[in-house]
């Protein structure tokens, strides 16, 4: 049986497991289609549990034998696990099962990738390895013996012993089964050491396939920086003798924080200047940090159940954002995070997939590794930190680590440490974890006799299952400027708790210009009709970098929306303000690049939807084109000054400074291409000695349709590098003219190098199609049909990736009736497939409502 009938699990049904696991011994006898897993587990009755049912999870396992205290038993086995009568005292459970890693294409549990064995157990993959209480609140110490003919045999913890064809590992730290990992293969390592703050030397390794060892140095530096940063900023020291990272080609996610043995999608760790872009380097640095930080926020303190996923993910995303802000540019990081939040989380929160940061029910937990749990979860922590202040936050975290080390916790535990440290009542704040939807914040102003009054009103529209919403606690950071651009009131945090609330500023000499929601201090939609003059003024003068960017973004968005809705011309005041900013060499090039890049088509569709209009993808695309053409013409004289060529004389480095200049150069090249039909892009492509320059040039050539030679040349140069080939596949679809994007995706899916079993390659083509807004939403529905066809095929192989990619359809209800009907038909066609996975069934039925 492939899947059990979908069952809904509820947060409110939580009960502790009836038994404590005192100790786990596992032996793996590796063989591609017949791996034997022998388990010996010491159980004892759990004094805290009333329910003493002995049920072990297990899926797709072939049970060979089972024993209790050395005597054979015959458990009742179903497709989801087994149950068995057990003694009312401590006992030893032993089982032998057989599994087939080679045919495991779902990439959950133990599977094979290019001849190596690896595991992915979060969230519920361990039950595909052996029978076990596969739930995060069951924590135990593991000893693992691996037998196989592979030169490298790895598991969690510290190495205990090894010999020819076997190795033993012992992890002294109790952990849940989702953090279990095993890797075996013909691997080579890039090694280093790190001395912790207490003087312990830790061996560090990045394990890769032979040939990739030259792409590990950057990841290793990122790891060491992360280890140091977590000591300095959070006081967290590493706790094993060894830390291993393994790169795997076939992987559903970015990376996994298994204790002492992180497993990474190779795209999230391998890097070299020739094959990786600046953006790749930054992402790798952030993911390595993220997984490392989980050692404390996730591993040492884990989640009681999967409803608490945001406890480890929201906090760890918040921590990795802090890390990137510290070692790169804080304003640029904040702006990038907000762009990402609006692009991924807002559509989720405003559509049929909307759910609270802590969901209250699910059928398949894999479907809740979402932007809401991760990114909104991190925003919630950012708000908490603003409300209690930096010192309060630091003290609360100290208490959290001291109080809960070694435990499986809940959001209640998390909030309690803040209440205990600061004396605050966080009852209302807790709504951020239970109430779904994006709050909308409107504001009116009044000025009389030196007193300026801001009156805010908040309202959260209904979301699935939640019609009535209560007011949230909103930290609103505000600064006030005078007409000269001087800050007359520096950034002040207003704490809004009611549906409508006023705040007064007294003693002002004149009516101020407000800079609201500085640093995007709360994840809301700010509905404010500010005059264009005011926006232009803030674009020129705001002392808060985020809000300065936001003013430019708002002007650009308003202009584009007027172009779409009323056929207006591009706003000259915006273009003039932007030009002034671009000329200012005091400003960080990365910041200027963000100003120049403008809102995406999807963001405009989102903005139109928020304004109560029906977005027309063709009109949005046309408006973006007109705006870019107009910018190219009006900035014509400025472009040579902003171009990258000749700006950097030092050797390539993926640091913030150089990559900012290349980002500005890429945005400039995009405009230049509209003036010279790709001449500068071709020149850059031919001369490029790093992937950032090569790829940005190739993107422009594809966009302008002058790509035949360059696409082939790029293929000839890189066809042996699978990560670079993912870029080649993705860019041809992502940068394509909307009329050809679908056909190109279809053609590339029959390219000999297309491999649907590899999630990176599948996402390269079809993720790029979904991101090509006007291309995917082609009027005749060809984009919807093609994606649906491929998702149906993929579901039989890899439900997890299929279900996640289904979210391309999540905004279907906001488009015109014709497109809606076509998207709905595509979703219904997926839903009607026999044997559709539990993952995809849940996603599609939620979207169809
Ligand atoms: Zn994580």
């Amino acid at each position: 049986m492939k899947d059990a009938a979908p069952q809904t699990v509820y947060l409110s049904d939580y009960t502790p497991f009836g038994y404590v696991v005192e100790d786990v011994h596992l032996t793996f006898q590796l063989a591609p289609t017949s791996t034997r897993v022998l388990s010996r587990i010491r159980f004892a009755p759990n004094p805290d549990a009333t329910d003493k049912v002995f049920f072990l999870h297990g899926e797709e396992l072939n049970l060979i034998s089972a024993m209790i205290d050395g005597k054979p038993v015959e458990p009742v086995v179903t497709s989801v696990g087994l149950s068995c009568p057990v003694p009312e005292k401590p006992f030893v459970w032993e089982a032998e099962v057989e599994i087939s890693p080679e045919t495991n294409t779902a990439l959950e549990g133990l599977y094979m990738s290019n001849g190596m064995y690896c595991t992915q157990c979060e969230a519920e993959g361990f039950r595909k390895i052996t029978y076990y209480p596969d739930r995060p609140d069951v924590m135990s110490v593991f000893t693992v013996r691996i037998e196989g003919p592979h030169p490298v045999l790895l598991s969690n913890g510290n190495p205990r012993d090894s010999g020819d064809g076997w190795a033993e590992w012992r992890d002294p730290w109790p952990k849940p089964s989702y953090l279990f990992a095993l890797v075996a293969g013909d691997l080579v390592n890039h090694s280093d050491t790190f001395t912790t703050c207490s003087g312990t030397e830790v061996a560090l390794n990045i394990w890769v396939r032979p040939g990739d060892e030259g792409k590990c140095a950057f990841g290793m530096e990122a790891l060491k920086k992360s280890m140091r940063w977590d000591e300095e900023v959070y006081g967290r020291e590493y706790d094993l003798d060894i830390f291993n990272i393994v790169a795997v080609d076939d992987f559903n996610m970015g990376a996994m924080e298994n204790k002492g043995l992180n497993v990474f999608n190779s795209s999230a760790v391998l890097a070299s200047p020739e094959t990786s872009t600046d953006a790749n380097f930054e992402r790798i640095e952030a993911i390595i940090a993220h997984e490392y930080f989980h050692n404390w926020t996730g591993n040492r303190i884990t989640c009681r159940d999967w409803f608490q996923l945001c406890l480890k993910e929201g906090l760890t995303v918040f921590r990795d954002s802090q890390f990137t802000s510290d070692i790169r540019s804080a304003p640029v990081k904040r702006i990038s995070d907000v762009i990402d939040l609006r692009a991924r989380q807002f559509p989720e929160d405003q559509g049929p997939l909307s759910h609270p940061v802590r969901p209250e029910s699910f059928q398949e937990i894999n479907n809740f590794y979402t932007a809401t749990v991760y990114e909104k979860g991190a925003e919630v922590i950012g708000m908490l930190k603003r409300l209690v202040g930096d010192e309060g936050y630091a003290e609360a975290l100290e208490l959290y680590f001291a109080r809960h080390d070694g435990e499986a916790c809940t959001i209640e535990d998390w909030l309690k440490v803040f209440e205990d440290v600061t004396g605050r009542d966080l009852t209302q704040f807790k709504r951020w974890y239970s109430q779904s939807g994006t709050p909308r914040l409107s504001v009116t102003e009044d000025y009389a006799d030196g007193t300026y009054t801001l009156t805010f009103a908040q309202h959260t529209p209904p979301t699935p299952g939640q019609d009535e919403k209560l007011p949230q606690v909103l930290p609103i950071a505000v600064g006030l400027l005078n007409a000269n651009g001087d800050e007359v009131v520096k950034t002040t945090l207003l704490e809004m708790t009611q549906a409508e609330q006023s705040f007064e500023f007294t003693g002002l000499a004149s009516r101020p210009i407000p800079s609201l929601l500085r640093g995007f201090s709360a994840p809301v939609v700010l509905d404010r009709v500010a005059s264009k003059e005011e926006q232009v003024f803030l674009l020129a003068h705001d002392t808060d970098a985020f809000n300065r960017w936001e003013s430019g973004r708002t002007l650009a968005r308003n202009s584009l929306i007027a172009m779409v809705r009323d056929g207006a011309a591009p706003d000259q005041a915006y273009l003039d303000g932007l030009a002034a900013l671009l000329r200012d060499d005091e400003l960080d090039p990365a910041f200027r690049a963000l100003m120049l890049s403008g809102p995406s088509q999807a963001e405009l569709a989102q903005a139109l939807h928020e304004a109560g209009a029906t977005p027309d993808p063709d009109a949005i695309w046309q408006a973006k084109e007109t705006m870019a053409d107009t910018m190219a013409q009006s900035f014509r004289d400025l472009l040579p000054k902003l171009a990258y060529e000749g700006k950097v004389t030092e050797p390539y480095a993926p640091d913030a400074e150089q990559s900012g200049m290349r980002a500005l150069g890429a945005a400039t090249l995009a405009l230049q291409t509209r003036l010279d039909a790709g001449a500068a892009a071709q020149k850059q492509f031919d001369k490029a000695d790093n992937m950032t320059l090569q790829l940005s040039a190739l993107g422009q050539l594809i966009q302008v349709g002058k790509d035949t030679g360059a696409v082939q040349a790029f293929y000839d140069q890189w066809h042996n590098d699978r990560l670079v080939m993912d870029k080649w596949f993705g860019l041809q679809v992502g940068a394509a003219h909307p009329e050809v994007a679908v056909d190109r995706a279809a053609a590339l899916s029959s390219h000999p190098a297309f491999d649907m079993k590899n999630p990176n390659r599948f996402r390269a083509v079809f993720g790029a199609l979904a991101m090509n807004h006007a291309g995917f939403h082609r009027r005749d529905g060809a984009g919807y049909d093609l994606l649906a066809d491929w998702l149906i095929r993929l579901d039989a192989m890899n439900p997890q990736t299929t279900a996640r990619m289904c979210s391309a359809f999540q905004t279907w209800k906001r488009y015109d009736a014709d497109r809606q009907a076509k998207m709905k038909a595509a979703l219904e066609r997926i839903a009607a497939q026999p044997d559709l996975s539990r993952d995809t069934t849940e996603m599609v039925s939620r979207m169809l409502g």
Side-chain angles (χ1 to χ4, degrees):
M1 198 168 141
K2 190 159 143 290
D3 266 317
Q7 273 204 330
T8 304
V9 187
Y10 296 92
L11 167 60
S12 53
D13 286 349
Y14 173 83
T15 52
F17 184 53
Y19 299 84
V20 176
V21 177
E22 293 180 332
D23 175 73
V24 180
H25 278 256
L26 298 173
T27 300
F28 289 79
Q29 295 162 351
L30 296 173
T33 56
S34 56
T35 289
R36 289 287 171 110
V37 184
L38 291 81
S39 57
R40 194 172 81 246
I41 305 167
R42 276 200 297 140
F43 287 100
N46 180 357
D48 298 334
T50 47
D51 186 1
K52 290 285 194 295
V53 176
F54 185 72
F55 174 79
L56 303 181
H57 298 100
E59 290 180 16
E60 295 164 40
L61 305 173
N62 179 13
L63 180 65
I64 308 292
S65 65
M67 293 195 287
I68 289 178
D69 289 333
K71 296 197 186 72
V73 290
E74 300 267 332
V76 178
V77 179
T78 69
S79 63
V80 293
L82 62 73
S83 48
C84 189
V86 296
E88 286 289 311
K89 60 175 182 58
F91 62 94
V92 175
W93 161 266
E94 286 173 276
E96 180 168 357
V97 302
E98 188 173 280
I99 53 177
S100 173
E102 191 175 80
T103 54
N104 178 359
T105 57
L107 315 183
E108 281 177 326
L110 179 66
Y111 66 95
M112 298 190 77
S113 171
N114 290 317
M116 71 184 274
Y117 291 85
C118 59
T119 52
Q120 171 56 37
C121 293
E122 188 178 358
E124 298 179 337
F126 192 75
R127 61 190 63 183
K128 294 181 171 180
I129 291 175
T130 192
Y131 288 100
Y132 194 77
D134 188 15
R135 39 188 290 168
D137 59 342
V138 174
M139 298 172 83
S140 184
V141 289
F142 282 63
T143 305
V144 176
R145 179 182 168 90
I146 313 168
E147 299 172 7
H150 315 278
V152 177
L153 302 167
L154 306 172
S155 191
N156 314 89
N158 295 320
R160 193 159 81 160
D161 203 358
S162 62
D164 194 21
W166 64 275
E168 278 183 15
W169 291 79
R170 166 92 181 155
D171 185 356
W173 299 103
K175 66 169 178 291
S177 50
Y178 82 87
L179 291 172
F180 169 82
L182 176 153
V183 169
D186 180 11
L187 300 169
V188 291
N189 65 332
H190 176 100
S191 63
D192 207 330
T193 58
F194 178 84
T195 305
T196 70
C197 52
S198 72
T200 308
E201 191 172 280
V202 181
L204 309 177
N205 294 294
I206 298 181
W207 297 93
V208 296
R209 286 163 64 184
D212 285 337
E213 53 273 47
K215 295 182 178 174
C216 301
F218 180 81
M220 184 60 82
E221 286 311 306
L223 174 61
K224 290 193 288 181
K225 273 187 219 170
S226 310
M227 295 176 88
R228 190 62 72 210
W229 186 90
D230 213 18
E231 289 181 346
E232 290 172 358
V233 179
Y234 279 83
R236 298 298 105 202
E237 185 180 2
Y238 187 62
D239 54 5
L240 291 167
D241 304 338
I242 187 166
F243 188 83
N244 286 312
I245 287 177
V246 181
V248 175
D249 288 339
D250 301 295
F251 202 72
N252 278 333
M253 294 181 284
M256 177 62 210
E257 70 262 23
N258 316 300
K259 183 78 186 188
L261 177 54
N262 286 190
V263 176
F264 271 61
N265 186 319
S266 50
S267 73
V269 58
L270 301 181
S272 76
E274 297 73 31
T275 59
S276 311
T277 62
D278 293 331
N280 295 150
F281 280 105
E282 185 174 337
R283 175 171 179 264
I284 287 167
E285 187 177 75
I287 295 181
I288 286 185
H290 179 97
E291 305 310 334
Y292 175 73
F293 297 157
H294 268 314
N295 190 52
W296 276 93
T297 51
N299 299 4
R300 289 281 287 254
I301 303 178
T302 193
C303 305
R304 187 193 71 176
D305 52 68
W306 290 119
F307 297 101
Q308 322 294 331
L309 182 57
C310 61
L311 179 71
K312 76 178 179 78
E313 294 305 341
L315 177 54
T316 307
V317 170
F318 181 72
R319 273 152 51 72
D320 83 57
S321 294
Q322 286 182 299
F323 170 76
T324 300
S325 301
D326 280 0
I327 66 170
R328 290 175 178 261
S329 153
V332 166
K333 174 62 177 162
R334 186 63 189 142
I335 293 166
S336 308
D337 282 350
V338 174
I339 291 174
D340 182 61
L341 186 80
R342 286 175 174 159
R344 301 195 305 115
Q345 200 276 325
F346 279 23
E348 186 169 272
D349 227 355
Q350 296 177 25
L353 297 178
S354 181
H355 56 274
V357 169
R358 180 169 70 174
E360 268 144 35
S361 69
F362 62 77
Q363 289 179 357
E364 175 49 67
I365 184 58
N366 286 334
N367 290 334
F368 287 88
Y369 285 72
T370 59
T372 298
V373 169
Y374 279 63
E375 274 74 30
K376 189 177 176 181
E379 290 297 321
V380 171
I381 291 172
M383 286 190 284
L384 192 53
K385 182 164 180 280
R386 275 187 201 94
L387 289 168
V388 303
D390 293 350
E391 262 179 51
Y393 177 81
E395 277 178 53
L397 267 285
E398 271 301 320
L399 180 59
Y400 180 62
F401 293 123
R403 186 183 281 175
H404 294 297
D405 187 11
E407 293 180 0
C409 293
T410 61
I411 289 304
E412 283 73 16
D413 296 326
W414 164 252
L415 292 176
K416 186 75 167 54
V417 296
F418 283 85
E419 290 188 325
D420 289 355
V421 159
T422 64
R424 266 175 182 259
D425 177 356
L426 292 172
T427 310
Q428 187 185 356
F429 184 82
K430 199 178 156 192
R431 285 178 196 155
W432 278 107
Y433 288 99
S434 59
Q435 199 162 281
S436 56
T438 310
R440 305 187 65 131
L441 185 64
S442 59
V443 55
T444 53
E445 299 142 66
D446 188 54
Y447 178 76
D449 306 325
T451 297
Y452 178 68
T453 308
L454 284 169
T455 303
F456 293 95
Q458 58 164 306
H459 161 71
T460 305
T463 49
Q466 291 189 356
D467 292 337
E468 295 298 322
K469 310 280 186 173
L470 296 165
Q472 301 274 31
V473 181
L474 299 181
I476 305 172
V478 173
L480 301 179
L481 306 177
N482 69 15
N484 299 326
D486 305 322
E487 212 170 47
V488 289
V489 172
K490 63 180 171 48
T491 305
T492 303
L493 196 73
L494 310 177
E495 198 174 321
M496 183 179 186
T497 54
Q498 294 153 33
E500 192 174 311
Q501 204 167 341
S502 296
F503 300 90
E504 280 188 354
F505 299 86
T506 53
L508 296 167
S510 60
R511 185 188 183 97
I513 296 144
S515 168
L516 301 176
L517 208 65
R518 285 187 152 182
F520 202 62
S521 57
V524 301
V525 175
L526 181 62
D527 285 320
R528 175 163 183 267
V529 191
S531 72
K532 197 196 318 183
E533 290 66 33
E534 194 180 299
Q535 298 285 3
V536 171
F537 176 86
L538 290 171
L539 173 63
H541 299 292
D542 204 321
T543 41
D544 180 73
F546 176 85
N547 267 12
R548 200 171 177 194
W549 169 83
E550 181 84 312
S551 307
R553 191 75 157 194
T554 306
L555 283 163
R557 196 162 49 228
N558 291 347
S559 176
L560 284 157
I561 285 174
M563 291 163 73
V564 171
R565 294 179 86 169
D566 315 321
D571 178 2
Q572 195 56 46
Y574 162 60
L575 294 174
D576 292 345
L578 182 57
L581 199 136
L582 291 172
R583 273 192 210 99
D584 184 352
D585 286 335
E586 300 288 300
L587 288 173
D588 181 356
F591 178 77
R592 284 184 282 166
L594 285 168
M595 296 293 321
L596 195 48
S597 54
S600 68
Q601 295 170 59
E603 185 179 335
L604 291 170
Q606 175 77 18
L608 282 157
H609 168 72
E610 282 166 6
T614 301
D616 173 354
D618 301 321
I620 291 172
W621 182 79
Q622 192 52 59
K624 285 274 294 175
E625 286 293 297
T626 306
M627 178 64 90
D629 286 338
T630 309
M631 277 185 180
Q633 290 296 344
S634 46
F635 301 160
R636 176 182 284 272
D637 298 335
L638 196 55
L639 297 181
K641 183 174 132 63
L642 302 173
Y644 179 71
E645 184 159 21
K647 291 278 174 8
V648 173
T649 48
E650 299 87 53
Y652 175 91
D655 57 26
E657 197 187 345
Q658 276 195 24
S659 53
M661 289 164 93
R662 280 186 288 272
L664 182 57
T668 306
L669 185 69
L671 298 181
Q672 183 62 37
T673 302
R674 291 171 184 272
L675 301 175
D676 67 10
Q682 185 67 53
K683 194 171 147 205
Q684 179 173 314
F685 181 82
D686 293 338
K687 278 179 52 179
D689 62 357
N690 64 70
M691 183 51 65
T692 309
L693 292 179
Q694 193 178 15
L695 204 68
S696 68
L698 182 63
Q700 291 312 316
L701 292 170
I702 290 171
Q703 201 139 23
V704 82
K706 295 274 174 73
D707 55 346
T708 324
V711 166
Q712 185 62 45
F714 192 93
Y715 178 84
D716 292 342
Q717 186 180 356
W718 296 115
H719 63 277
N720 287 326
D721 188 304
R722 57 210 183 278
L723 293 175
V724 180
M725 285 309 290
D726 290 334
K727 301 183 203 306
W728 183 81
F729 275 95
L731 198 59
Q732 288 184 74
V733 179
H737 189 286
E739 277 171 22
V740 304
V742 177
D743 302 334
R744 205 169 269 183
L748 285 168
S749 66
S750 53
H751 190 281
F754 181 77
D755 174 11
M756 70 182 296
K757 279 194 195 146
N758 179 264
N760 292 2
R761 189 61 47 90
F762 190 90
R763 270 193 295 261
V765 174
F766 294 106
L769 176 62
M771 295 286 285
N772 187 324
H773 189 256
F776 177 58
H777 292 286
R778 206 171 86 179
R779 193 168 289 281
D780 64 2
Y784 311 145
D785 290 343
L786 182 70
L787 185 62
D789 289 346
W790 278 95
L791 291 175
I792 288 167
R793 280 199 230 181
L794 185 66
D795 187 64
M797 244 178 223
N798 187 333
Q800 215 181 98
T801 294
T802 308
R804 266 177 217 171
M805 290 189 66
C806 279
S807 61
F809 291 104
Q810 69 175 315
T811 54
W812 70 277
K813 282 183 184 160
R814 68 171 59 155
Y815 292 94
D816 55 83
D818 194 35
R819 283 187 173 92
Q820 274 196 34
K822 291 186 165 94
M823 276 190 267
K824 186 166 182 240
L827 283 170
E828 285 170 344
R829 192 155 62 85
I830 297 172
Q833 293 303 308
D835 299 327
L836 196 70
S837 68
R838 182 170 64 204
D839 304 58
T840 306
T841 302
E842 183 187 24
M843 286 294 273
V844 172
S845 57
R846 281 165 67 203
M847 279 188 278
L848 287 169

